[in-house]
């Protein structure tokens, strides 16, 4: 086991890994930055969810990622994959509604795909993330354009893969655009789908929280945030989309 969250990822230029490898400390910092962002944006996530969901996304996500923060403060697992699998398990056990299983699946399957390596490349993370996203799609029976978290995650994964796993900033920007582009969509999965055409005109909460997760990845690469840092991320996020309630 390694102890504190420290960065061996580094990077050259904005949002790029510069071909460096990412260790468990980097992944722990990613989860911590996500907790910071979700806590900061919890009220906005709930506001978005109030329009097309059951108004609990912000509170659920905050509770889950604060639990992840606490778990990693106790001990950081030795490998990147183990960090994500630990975080995913904690989310499943602490987050209510659809978000726990969906985010838990995303992180656990991404972590499993990374295997037991002590360090991974950005390209390996991009491949593993795509595996996690596909698992979410299968779990929720959702696809791109259904007004779910997938509408932020798919563009992010594509942007990261297109850069050879080096440009986390491009992934962040793609996720934020994807979340914003859910506004004119009609929800076809999750609680929001019950509203039919009335779901049009609202930004999806799940896509919004997914964009926060990706933005935290870019922040972790930059070495900001750390333990208890500000964890700033692009945009704000929405609700229990990305699958069925």
């Amino acid at each position: 086991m390694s102890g504190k969250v420290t960065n061996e990822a580094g990077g050259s230029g904005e949002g790029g890994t510069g071909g460096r490898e990412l260790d468990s400390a980097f992944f722990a910092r990613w989860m911590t930055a996500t907790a910071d962002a979700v806590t900061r944006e919890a009220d906005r996530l709930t506001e978005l969810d109030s329009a097309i969901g059951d108004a609990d996304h912000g509170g659920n996500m905050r509770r889950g990622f604060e639990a992840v923060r606490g778990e990693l403060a106790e001990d950081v697992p030795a490998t990147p994959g183990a960090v994500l699998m630990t975080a995913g398990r904690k989310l499943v056990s602490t987050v209510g509604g659809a978000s726990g299983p969906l985010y838990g699946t995303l992180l656990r399957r991404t972590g499993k795909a990374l295997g037991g390596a002590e360090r991974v490349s950005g390209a390996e993370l991009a491949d593993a993330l795509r595996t996690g996203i596909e698992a979410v799609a299968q779990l929720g029976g959702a696809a791109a354009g259904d007004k779910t978290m997938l509408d932020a995650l798919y563009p992010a994964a594509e942007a990261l893969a297109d850069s050879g796993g080096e440009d986390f900033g491009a992934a962040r920007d793609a996720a934020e655009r994807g979340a914003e582009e859910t506004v004119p969509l009609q929800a076809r999965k999750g609680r929001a789908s019950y509203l039919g055409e009335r779901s049009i005109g609202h930004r999806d909460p799940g896509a919004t929280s997914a964009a926060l997760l990706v933005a935290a990845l870019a922040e972790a690469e930059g070495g900001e945030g750390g333990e208890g840092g500000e964890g700033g991320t692009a945009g704000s996020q929405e609700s229990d989309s990305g699958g069925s309630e």
Side-chain angles (χ1 to χ4, degrees):
M1 300 291 217
S2 64
K4 297 292 185 179
V5 178
T6 56
N7 183 20
E8 291 193 13
S12 56
E14 276 195 31
T17 63
R20 298 189 186 181
E21 294 182 320
L22 312 172
D23 65 358
S24 63
F26 169 84
F27 283 81
R29 193 168 57 256
W30 176 21
M31 294 297 100
T32 299
T34 302
D36 291 337
V38 166
T39 295
R40 187 182 61 253
E41 298 291 343
D43 289 346
R44 176 162 166 76
L45 292 176
T46 294
E47 179 184 357
L48 292 170
D49 197 29
S50 297
I52 58 174
D54 49 11
D56 65 355
H57 190 56
N60 282 342
M61 292 293 288
R62 176 171 53 200
R63 180 171 61 254
F65 274 98
E66 285 299 331
V68 170
R69 185 206 301 276
E71 185 90 356
L72 295 177
E74 292 291 327
D75 197 13
V76 176
T79 68
V83 171
L84 295 186
M85 292 180 73
T86 296
R89 285 193 296 268
K90 183 59 71 172
L91 291 177
V92 169
S93 67
T94 57
V95 178
S99 297
L102 292 169
Y103 275 93
T105 294
L106 174 65
L107 296 181
R108 287 189 300 176
R109 292 297 295 273
T110 300
K112 183 177 180 180
L114 288 175
E118 292 188 357
R119 290 178 175 78
V120 299
S121 68
E124 288 169 330
L125 173 57
D127 289 343
L129 182 61
R130 184 66 185 220
T131 297
I133 294 169
E134 292 297 346
V136 170
Q138 183 176 13
L139 176 64
D146 282 347
K147 198 182 182 92
T148 74
M149 63 193 290
L150 295 176
D151 291 311
L153 291 174
Y154 273 134
E158 182 177 359
L160 189 58
D162 286 348
S163 73
E166 293 196 1
D167 196 343
F168 293 166
R172 173 199 61 211
D173 295 345
E176 177 60 22
R177 284 194 302 272
E180 183 61 28
E181 288 170 1
T182 63
V183 173
L185 299 178
Q186 179 175 331
R188 303 191 184 282
K189 292 293 177 181
R191 188 174 295 274
S193 66
Y194 303 158
L195 298 176
E197 292 184 356
R198 287 180 295 157
S199 65
I200 296 173
H202 300 280
R203 179 169 162 141
D204 180 67
T208 305
S209 57
L212 287 177
L213 175 71
V214 179
L217 175 65
E219 181 182 340
E221 190 278 331
E224 299 175 5
E227 296 173 300
E230 295 215 349
T233 54
S236 335
Q237 268 119 37
E238 307 178 12
S239 150
D240 297 303
S241 321
S244 52
E245 278 280 329

